[in-house]
Amino acid sequence: MNVDTVIIGGGLAGLLCGLSLTRQGLRCAIISRGQSGLHFSSGSMDLLEHCATSTPQEALDVLGLSAPDHPYSLIGTTQVLDYAQQTEALLRDCSIAMQGCVDQPHQRVTPIGTLRQAWLTPPDITLAPRHDERITVVGISGFLDFQPHLVAASLEKMGVENRVCEIDLPQLDVLRDNASEFRSVNLARLLDDDAQWRSLHDALLPHAQVSDRLLLPACFGLNDDGLWRWLNETLPCPLSLLPTLPPSVPGIRLHTALQRQFIKNGGMWLAGDVVTDVIQDGQNISAITTRNHGDVPFRTRFAVLASGSFFSNGLIASRDGVIEPVLGLDVMQSSPRESWTHGDFFEPQPWQRFGVQVDATLRPQRNGQRFNNLFAIGGVLGGFDGISQGCAGGVSAITALHAARQIGELAGGRP
């Protein structure tokens, strides 16, 4: 089977790269092992954490000097900002609405009520509240993956007037016998049924009548935000959602929307499949075989590694070091093993910056020899700490579009 590009990994980076390539008229296949990191994310995307007095361009310029191995530093400030705007346009074209833009970063409320800077956030997710709002934090009886009192305590520290309440939804009783089933995704499968909308509305109404805003755990809206929009139209005050402990409904919804658009564009989605062999012709990848299609290799002009970091086994740590398991690529890491961590658990850890070593074109190497038609993107890359630097989603998006642009130019696709 012949394709222009095979992408190994179906997370945010792989999907955005695949969408960009299919929009250029290239035939693309994504090999997805299983759930991606999006299923465990808030659905928001961060570009780069920086202080309120610093613009994104200033922050990127400083990063280029202090962290020359960071993917943003390799790509360059001007191109990073350009790719960020392209990402926003790509999401709009996929009918994925987001709050925010690269020129106006904002703060969103985390599952424990603290604030975190964000670049793009789903429209139903709570942004930093105003201090003149009377907020009611709503819990759901028996739902342990959201703690309204923690949220309320954080809001109180910010000087935001709030109260806590709990609603009981009898239709959820079918899930209560098994604690492992009483999770946000399972709640959403029930509540997204429009036959259940009215009962949720009626449970929220008394609290909406005495509040300026309701905050509710994000436990509905797996496929779209229809229920959230209807509640905001019918309740007397606005309602916003807070991500819960994983699995995350907003993250799953974002992944589903991107995947659906990729397939609609003509992309091939190989679910539950893994790479078994990568066939090379010198420093070029010529074909890739998978477990589910072992007798039918995917002959490809280009390959993209978007397999993620340790969480998704894109990187594997052993006592002897960190390896990239698909191709054995050179990995940026430190030694000895004792240097991987700091004593303070809450400090950024050195191992979080481990990952595949690439050049400015995002081409990786093995034993010092660079591949010609292979690109690495997203969480598998080294040189950055997505958590402490607030750039995980941004690195996935920016590197995805950077690789897709180069592949498009080399393949003669539409610019």
Side-chain angles (χ1 to χ4, degrees):
M1 188 177 299
N2 296 328
V3 295
D4 292 302
T5 306
V6 171
I7 298 175
I8 303 169
L12 179 62
L15 279 164
L16 288 176
C17 185
L19 282 166
S20 181
L21 290 171
T22 55
R23 283 162 54 92
Q24 297 179 68
L26 300 178
R27 185 167 172 77
C28 181
I30 292 180
I31 302 169
S32 176
R33 178 192 295 263
Q35 289 182 326
S36 80
L38 278 177
H39 288 235
F40 303 87
S41 78
S42 66
S44 293
M45 296 171 61
D46 42 13
L47 185 66
L48 182 64
E49 183 77 22
H50 56 86
C51 65
T53 59
S54 173
T55 67
Q57 179 167 342
E58 292 169 340
L60 287 165
D61 287 341
V62 170
L63 182 72
L65 297 174
S66 62
D69 292 327
H70 194 289
Y72 290 167
S73 303
L74 297 176
I75 294 172
T77 295
T78 300
Q79 287 198 95
V80 168
L81 295 175
D82 182 49
Y83 288 134
Q85 293 179 332
Q86 291 182 38
T87 300
E88 295 167 13
L90 178 59
L91 293 174
R92 286 194 299 269
D93 291 345
C94 295
S95 300
I96 299 174
M98 286 286 189
Q99 305 176 85
C101 65
V102 65
D103 296 322
Q104 296 179 332
H106 55 274
Q107 290 184 311
R108 64 174 178 87
V109 182
T110 70
I112 59 173
T114 56
L115 297 180
R116 182 172 178 85
Q117 184 171 293
W119 162 34
L120 300 172
T121 298
D124 51 354
I125 299 301
T126 309
L127 302 189
R130 302 194 316 268
H131 284 78
D132 60 348
E133 285 185 306
R134 297 172 302 160
I135 289 179
T136 296
V137 185
V138 183
I140 297 175
S141 177
F143 183 52
L144 302 180
D145 289 348
F146 177 75
Q147 299 298 319
H149 291 282
L150 288 178
V151 176
S154 296
L155 294 176
E156 186 71 27
K157 290 180 180 179
M158 288 184 249
V160 178
E161 180 183 349
N162 69 90
R163 57 186 284 269
V164 174
C165 73
E166 185 174 271
I167 59 175
D168 185 36
L169 300 172
Q171 65 267 43
L172 301 180
D173 288 346
V174 65
L175 302 176
R176 297 183 194 276
D177 291 339
N178 187 340
S180 65
E181 294 295 322
F182 209 70
R183 312 303 293 271
S184 59
V185 172
N186 296 320
L187 268 63
R189 292 192 178 103
L190 283 174
L191 295 176
D192 283 347
D193 182 352
D194 54 11
Q196 307 295 336
W197 290 15
R198 176 56 62 178
S199 61
L200 177 59
H201 170 278
D202 292 346
L204 293 172
L205 181 59
H207 306 290
Q209 291 171 334
V210 296
S211 307
D212 294 324
R213 180 176 298 274
L214 300 181
L215 300 188
L216 194 71
C219 56
F220 54 80
L222 268 177
N223 293 310
D224 58 53
D225 61 359
L227 174 53
W228 171 76
R229 287 187 286 105
W230 180 79
L231 288 170
N232 275 277
E233 292 168 359
T234 56
L235 289 171
C237 80
L239 177 145
S240 299
L241 304 180
L242 289 172
T244 67
L245 292 176
S248 164
V249 169
I252 293 173
R253 185 174 70 232
L254 176 59
H255 184 272
T256 301
L258 292 171
Q259 177 190 355
R260 184 186 301 124
Q261 187 64 46
F262 172 72
I263 295 172
K264 183 178 179 181
N265 288 0
M268 300 173 59
W269 180 261
L270 308 177
D273 208 353
V274 295
V275 173
T276 55
D277 191 20
V278 178
I279 302 168
Q280 296 178 226
D281 180 9
Q283 292 306 112
N284 290 298
I285 306 298
S286 59
I288 293 175
T289 60
T290 71
R291 180 183 60 198
N292 296 345
H293 301 80
D295 56 341
V296 184
F298 290 88
R299 303 192 181 281
T300 184
R301 300 167 66 189
F302 304 94
V304 178
L305 184 68
S307 50
S309 189
F310 298 95
F311 178 78
S312 55
N313 290 325
L315 299 171
I316 295 178
S318 69
R319 299 189 66 86
D320 299 322
V322 176
I323 64 168
E324 184 284 306
V326 176
L327 286 139
L329 301 174
D330 294 348
V331 173
M332 187 185 304
Q333 58 185 295
S334 64
S335 61
R337 186 182 174 93
E338 289 74 21
S339 68
W340 293 5
T341 59
H342 291 315
D344 187 343
F345 177 80
F346 295 100
E347 285 293 313
Q349 301 296 324
W351 63 266
Q352 292 174 309
R353 297 187 183 222
F354 294 176
V356 169
Q357 185 175 347
V358 294
D359 61 15
T361 68
L362 301 182
R363 287 179 172 89
Q365 60 186 31
R366 184 173 61 197
N367 299 325
Q369 297 295 310
R370 192 187 78 162
F371 284 87
N372 298 322
N373 66 341
L374 173 67
F375 299 83
I377 61 175
V380 75
L381 295 175
F384 77 101
D385 181 343
I387 297 176
S388 67
Q389 294 176 320
C391 62
V395 166
S396 290
I398 302 307
T399 57
L401 268 59
H402 188 49
R405 177 181 179 179
Q406 294 173 88
I407 291 172
E409 291 173 351
L410 293 170
R414 293 191 298 271

